[in-house]
Amino acid sequence: MPPDFTLRATNTAHRLLTRLTFGRLGHRIAGMPSLELTTVGRRSGKEHAVLLTAPIVEGGGYVVVASRAGDDRHPAWYHNLLARPEVTVAVQGGPRVPMLARVADPAERAALWPRVTAGHPVYADYQTRTDREIPLVLLTPRDGA
């Protein structure tokens, strides 16, 4: 599984690519929109932003995959949103929009997972690398947002 350094370096490179190309590159990866998810650290209380891909976009909301590339551990951002589901999401360099994050329940995941993996088989590969069930996280606009 990729070490933390590799995941952070990839995220930094993605941000740099987007900035250097003035947004012409980096807003779509493997056919998926990329988004910046900002959570509040469950221990630090500080904001943390991570770039993720959204394999499903529907009704103003997004589905993101807490895969950590198939690692046996959940990503830090996942733990943060479990502790505090109020997040912000910025898409394609746009403004940060207040959203609520929640983990898909078993029935929702059963319906969504085939859609995620049909369009993006890399997630199915990640699932084969770990014994944990990779969670799907639903990001929906907060009321009044």
Side-chain angles (χ1 to χ4, degrees), residues 23-43:
R24 289 188 302 275
L25 299 175
H27 289 305
R28 291 194 73 78
I29 298 175
M32 295 176 276
S34 67
L35 56 84
E36 180 179 60
L37 173 70
T38 303
T39 61
V40 174
R42 65 194 179 283
R43 291 187 283 230

Side-chain angles (χ1 to χ4, degrees), residues 18-136:
T18 303
R19 284 190 191 123
L20 289 175
T21 64
F22 300 99
R24 289 188 302 275
L25 299 175
H27 289 305
R28 291 194 73 78
I29 298 175
M32 295 176 276
S34 67
L35 56 84
E36 180 179 60
L37 173 70
T38 303
T39 61
V40 174
R42 65 194 179 283
R43 291 187 283 230
S44 71
K46 296 179 182 177
E47 286 192 346
H48 297 279
V50 62
L51 295 174
L52 302 172
T53 52
I56 298 176
V57 179
E58 286 183 335
Y62 303 90
V63 175
V64 293
V65 184
S67 66
R68 202 170 193 282
D71 194 11
D72 288 329
R73 297 178 294 152
H74 294 302
W77 61 263
Y78 176 79
H79 293 290
N80 289 343
L81 65 80
L82 288 178
R84 185 169 173 187
E86 300 84 8
V87 300
T88 62
V89 174
V91 180
Q92 295 185 333
R96 289 172 37 165
V97 176
M99 295 198 141
L100 286 175
R102 70 176 181 82
V103 178
D105 66 33
E108 289 170 321
R109 187 185 186 284
L112 291 169
W113 186 253
R115 292 176 56 200
V116 168
T117 58
H120 310 285
V122 68
Y123 292 118
D125 180 52
Y126 291 163
Q127 185 61 77
T128 66
R129 298 179 191 179
T130 182
D131 290 331
R132 73 178 171 95
E133 182 176 80
I134 294 175
L136 298 180

